Amino acid sequence: MTPEDLANLAHLRRARDLIDREYAKPLDVPAMARHALMSPAHFARRFRAVYGETPYSYLMTRRIERAMALLRGGMSVTDACMTVGCTSLGSFSSRFREIVGETPSAYRSREHSAVAAMPPCVAKLHTRPTRTTPARVRGADDTTAP
């Protein structure tokens, strides 16, 4: 790695740390890019190349992760949505289902006693949401035979 690559990586880490700390505040790509001392387009490209997802996707994953903890604690879906910085309950619920695989209310109503028994560092590791890409559906232009 060149010294310039290392400097860019440090700037990207600074922006990622900002997202981790300030996830509940209104953040947009230009604000994150300013924190990383990059243009918004360059920042978005570099962030995706380094972390494997867009800055906005990373922000939403952090918000959903925090909402999961709030819902496990018994907070209402609407309150959890607003607490983590989302302004639309519909968009929050859609994104939650996309990332977690179930609706926020279904997640809230499930039993979470096993997570409560875990040390916080272990619970964080096991409850962290991960994005899974849906299986590719065979299209009409697909030339491979079944």
Side-chain angles (χ1 to χ4, degrees), residues 1-118:
M1 277 190 131
T2 67
E4 183 179 332
D5 290 338
L6 289 174
N8 282 335
L9 187 57
H11 293 306
L12 289 170
R13 283 186 186 147
R14 189 178 322 160
R16 189 186 65 183
D17 290 344
L18 171 74
I19 296 168
D20 290 340
R21 266 191 330 273
E22 308 292 336
Y23 64 87
K25 294 184 179 174
L27 287 174
D28 57 9
V29 172
M32 295 177 222
R34 278 192 304 276
H35 208 73
L37 306 176
M38 297 178 186
S39 73
H42 182 68
F43 168 72
R45 282 191 305 272
R46 296 303 311 144
F47 193 96
R48 185 177 187 130
V50 171
Y51 297 114
E53 61 184 322
T54 66
Y56 183 75
S57 176
Y58 183 83
L59 170 64
M60 289 307 297
T61 302
R62 293 290 74 75
R63 286 178 173 172
I64 297 302
E65 178 181 29
R66 182 63 186 139
M68 289 170 68
L70 296 171
L71 292 169
R72 283 193 304 272
M75 186 178 275
S76 74
V77 174
T78 302
D79 289 343
C81 168
M82 298 303 162
T83 300
V84 300
C86 295
T87 56
S88 165
L89 185 58
S91 297
F92 168 77
S93 295
S94 295
R95 185 60 61 101
F96 192 98
R97 185 179 177 115
E98 172 190 324
I99 293 173
V100 179
E102 62 184 322
T103 65
S105 55
Y107 182 82
R108 182 179 181 266
S109 65
R110 265 197 308 120
E111 179 62 39
H112 298 286
S113 59
V115 175
M118 295 178 194

Side-chain angles (χ1 to χ4, degrees), residues 115-133:
V115 175
M118 295 178 194
C121 59
V122 174
K124 185 175 182 179
L125 177 69
H126 287 287
T127 60
R128 175 163 275 175
T130 57
R131 290 180 175 273
T132 57
T133 55

